Amino acid sequence: MKRIGVLTSGGDAPGMNASLRAVVRMSIHRGHRVFAFYNGYKGLVENDSAEMYNRSVGDILTRGGTIIGTTRYPAFQDPEIIKKAARHMNLLDMDGLIIIGGDGSFRGASDLSDHGVPVIGLPGTIDNDITGTDYTIGYDTAVDTVLDCIKKLRDTASSHGRTIIIEVMGRHSGWIAMRSGLAGGAEAILVPEIPFDLEDLCHTLESGIARGKKHSLVVVAEGVMSASELAHMMKDLVGFVANTVVLGYVQRGGSPTANDIILASRLGARAVDEIAGGNSGIMIGEVKGDIVTTPLKEVLAEKKLIDPTIFHLAEELVH
Ligand code: ADP
């Protein structure tokens, strides 16, 4: 029988609760005891934890957010604080810790592992920029949420013959912009990974309107620039007038899609068996339908890049 810790860290993502449920219930199913640390690494450092039972995770499967809380806790970059967290793990006689979060959280996990704490990472972030998994927990839901907004904005844009610039999340990565833009038939998608030319963009939009398009939708990842900055630049260059919408935190909330719930459940269950089997310093992911493990150091070495073929397909299909 093992004693397993679990926490959620970094930005919340739909499906974090489903992965917590899987970790808790699979642990108990296998005869282990499982403890949640509240509010990410803060709970670990401050020893804010509670034992979890099957009923503790009842009714959370389809709920967004995370019932055990998450915090941005920059203090965790201090080696003394990490040592303190490792000491707590020892004092509580824990056999390992499962961390559900993004790449920042995995840096903390990797540091803990260097201090002798067995750790397993689960990719829980809407950004989908994590190496070692085709999809991260929360990404599918976020894309669906953006698509839903695009559909609503398209109604208004079509009725009024407007151009709307929709700013979506993605400081370093265009995963959300790319997939929601393709699914929503956006006239243009701007992502941090691929440079764009302002004149070309204006030309594309103007020629679409000249061909009889009733609306123009531009999806821009926040890492490229803000929607209002882009609108100003377009106005200054060719007098093009566009409305702007910033979707913001809407993209992180809501009930997870079936894909996210299933992914979260599969990864969470596997994490328990990996940690009970004595494995550490790895992330669990899904690649081509298979559940696989990747060393955290490899996961952290580089971000997963967007697939340019999807980006170009979106461009080809809007003419
Ligand atoms: P995400 O995990 O979604 O990428 P953050 O980048 O905010 O989110 O990271 C979540 C938490 O992980 C931080 O608040 C901090 O506690 C911890 N963390 C982030 N970067 C590091 C690092 N370089 N070293 C140790 N811990 C880190």
Side-chain angles (χ1 to χ4, degrees):
M1 188 196 72
K2 306 277 184 193
R3 288 166 67 87
I4 298 169
V6 59
L7 59 81
T8 49
S9 168
D12 66 303
M16 277 184 161
N17 279 328
S19 49
L20 172 70
R21 171 182 175 272
V23 166
V24 169
R25 294 210 170 151
M26 185 53 79
S27 295
I28 293 167
H29 182 66
R30 298 273 197 244
H32 309 306
R33 291 178 70 183
V34 58
F35 300 82
F37 291 95
Y38 291 108
N39 305 313
Y41 290 120
K42 190 164 183 279
L44 186 60
V45 173
E46 296 177 357
N47 216 345
D48 183 11
S49 65
E51 183 157 6
M52 304 295 274
Y53 305 95
N54 281 333
R55 292 278 50 86
S56 322
V57 290
D59 245 348
I60 65 167
L61 184 60
T62 60
R63 268 169 66 187
T66 159
I67 60 157
I68 55 172
T70 179
T71 3
R72 305 245 185 236
Y73 187 60
F76 209 66
Q77 295 181 38
D78 175 350
E80 288 308 311
I81 298 281
I82 291 168
K83 273 189 209 154
K84 194 173 165 187
R87 270 202 305 278
H88 281 160
M89 286 292 288
N90 261 331
L91 282 173
L92 294 166
D93 204 18
M94 290 283 175
D95 293 291
L97 180 66
I98 295 169
I99 291 129
I100 307 162
D103 64 336
S105 305
F106 293 162
R107 280 181 211 287
S110 181
D111 290 349
L112 267 175
S113 169
D114 292 342
H115 284 78
V117 176
V119 295
I120 304 273
L122 293 183
T125 165
I126 63 167
D127 291 333
N128 204 39
D129 56 352
I130 305 278
T131 295
T133 191
D134 287 344
Y135 297 106
T136 56
I137 298 162
Y139 173 64
D140 191 60
T141 308
V143 168
D144 261 12
T145 301
V146 173
L147 177 59
D148 198 40
C149 296
I150 290 177
K151 288 191 279 194
K152 290 180 169 122
L153 292 166
R154 178 192 288 267
D155 288 346
T156 288
S158 290
S159 306
H160 291 265
R162 276 187 188 148
T163 296
I164 301 184
I165 302 171
I166 306 160
E167 182 185 319
V168 301
M169 282 185 171
R171 262 174 295 172
H172 307 289
S173 125
W175 277 101
I176 292 178
M178 187 187 67
R179 212 167 157 90
S180 62
L182 173 62
E187 273 61 37
I189 304 169
L190 308 185
V191 296
E193 294 89 339
I194 301 177
F196 81 101
D197 183 276
L198 188 63
E199 257 177 71
D200 282 353
L201 171 66
C202 294
H203 176 71
T204 302
L205 298 180
E206 282 170 333
S207 59
I209 291 163
R211 287 198 311 275
K213 274 191 186 257
K214 291 210 179 94
H215 59 258
S216 302
L217 299 174
V218 179
V219 176
V220 58
E222 62 186 333
V224 176
M225 66 178 67
S226 71
S228 63
E229 218 175 325
L230 180 61
H232 279 122
M233 283 169 66
M234 285 164 62
K235 186 150 193 288
D236 290 347
L237 188 73
V238 290
F240 202 100
V241 176
N243 293 95
T244 59
V245 174
V246 181
L247 296 185
Y249 289 128
V250 162
Q251 295 160 87
R252 290 233 293 251
S255 183
T257 58
N259 279 338
D260 270 332
I261 294 175
I262 291 163
L263 177 68
S265 303
R266 293 180 81 199
L267 301 189
R270 174 70 175 264
V272 171
D273 286 339
E274 291 293 336
I275 214 133
N279 291 328
S280 172
I282 54 173
M283 185 197 80
I284 321 279
E286 187 191 290
V287 175
K288 295 187 168 57
D290 292 329
I291 305 299
V292 298
T293 62
T294 308
L296 276 177
K297 304 264 185 237
E298 236 173 79
V299 172
L300 291 171
E302 59 177 342
K303 280 183 180 282
K304 187 178 64 181
L305 299 175
I306 57 163
D307 177 356
T309 60
I310 297 217
F311 180 86
H312 294 307
L313 176 64
E315 277 185 333
E316 285 157 1
L317 296 184
V318 291
H319 295 296

